[in-house]
Amino acid sequence: MSGGDDDFEEVEKDFSPEGPGAEPEAEASIDVEYGIEDKPPLGESILLGFQHYLTMIGASVAIPLALAGEMGMPGGATARLIGTFFVVSGIATLAQTTVGNRYPIVQGGTFSMLAPALAIIGVLASSGAGWQLMIRELTGAVIVAGLVEVLVGYFGVMGWLKRYMGPVVIAPVIALIGLALFNVPQIQNPNFGAPGTGQNWWLLGLTMVLIIVFSQYLDRYHRSFRLFPVLLGIASAWIIAAVLSVVGVFPEGSVSYVALDSVTEAPLFQPIYPFQWGLPLFTPGFIVGMVAGMLASAIESFGDYHSVARMAGRGAPNARRINHGIGMEGLGNTFAGVMGTGNGSTSYTENVGAIGITGVASRYVVQIGAAVMIVVGYFGPVGQLFATIPAPIIGGLYVVMFGQITAVGLSQLKYVDLDANRNVFIVGFALFAGLAIPGYMSNVGAGMDASASAAFQQGLAAVPILGPVLGTDVVATTIFVIGGTGMAVGGIVAFFLDNTIPGTREERGLTAWEDLTEDDSDFESFWDRRKEDTEATQSAD
């Protein structure tokens, strides 16, 4: 998909504060090497784009593997599902960067919609359904959730809410995006201690140290360390792991093993096309659960947009840009359903972290990376090579990136009066609730035969008077999914308190926020640009 030649227009590099990709009134949280409008040389852009996608390989592989494992998918179908995630990610990213909000932000599978997907699979598994039926049910639920998000975006719901969401709300939301992911399997392996499967902390630590050394210590000595710390760190750790796997130090099946033979055995081409698993099925209870996951994802994306703008040295996104971004994410979700991922499409927090580490916020770079991902999805060996990256290496990358995202979120508080007790209370309470409530949700039903969502529904059904309403599939699933998503919990808590506890607009940071928000004229939609081009052509004739 293309927004025209102007989307890829060559922009001369300018490192001055007033140069491309920077606004005088906006403060960048980092030194921006390439701004949003900058276009590095093609060879450099390919490597930078490849690096952007390396940061989200963990999620792009982990989500389909989790779905395939729960559904009992055979090996060939699992490989094609992973390839489908790559293709959808590439196409959705091109659409978002050219037609959507035009931020340099990668689109891909979302953990927020993984929770309801696993709940749906659990319900179907209890009735003896096969994986073909499960993926068709997931497909239908994702398609409807995407269409709902299209309405939320293009009818301006998120943009309207922006006027009530200042730094006191955005800071905990962004911080929780990073903090809520401290316990992902790549960092805290749940099988720690099991023979051959426990976490390899030295490999994780090696990756983490390499990225830190390249990005924070050696960056001043050579530009390559500044631009490619993630690529260099992951590649170095992977080579070491591959060598140790070949010589037998890492046994086959261990968490650190690099299965090089899987690359040569992968099919050269794998077919990926719409409705490849069959026509979608639409079950109301499943749809509501997926919509709840989508809403949590939209809140996360709202925070991601502000985080990207901050890192790129731009003013906070205006309402129009937010609406177009959320609307395009809805189209991306619908497309993901049509292609059969069984999961949605959203802004990748990992990509935001990569911008913070490298200072590369170029839209062109992300588009190049998106094109690479589309190719990777259809050619099995290349995609399988990505999949050989051991989980500890991904974990080391996550430790660095998610910490950066957390700090960017907290940096929003510079616009807030932290001497005002109401602000300190709101931020602290929202952060704690955003960690504690999802932690509780994950432990519901521990020791019971029922799944966490089923046990939670049983508990709500037992509530006096309100039980018949709270215990329904629709209500229970919605509360469970949103309550299990940290940034959604923190955002809702902060939003309610910030708009009900008395405080001046200056105290809340809303005045400073308005001054930093980009003008409406700073964002031109795809259709605005096409209209201008048409009018210019007609005038010339």
Side-chain angles (χ1 to χ4, degrees), residues 58-75:
S60 290
V61 174
I63 293 175
L65 284 179
L67 290 173
E70 290 295 318
M71 290 187 292
M73 262 188 168

Side-chain angles (χ1 to χ4, degrees), residues 173-244:
V173 169
I174 297 177
L176 284 166
I177 291 172
L179 290 175
L181 294 170
F182 76 93
N183 61 349
V184 294
Q186 290 88 349
I187 298 175
Q188 297 189 13
N189 191 324
N191 295 321
F192 178 73
T197 61
Q199 181 61 281
N200 186 333
W201 289 108
W202 79 259
L203 184 58
L204 183 150
L206 173 65
T207 306
M208 181 179 66
V209 168
L210 285 171
I211 294 175
I212 292 174
V213 169
F214 289 142
S215 65
Q216 303 300 322
Y217 294 99
L218 299 181
D219 59 320
R220 68 199 68 186
Y221 297 108
H222 196 279
R223 189 163 172 266
S224 297
F225 296 125
R226 170 63 174 164
L227 291 177
F228 305 107
V230 173
L231 182 60
L232 292 171
I234 290 181
S236 300
W238 183 88
I239 291 172
I240 293 173
V243 171
L244 294 178

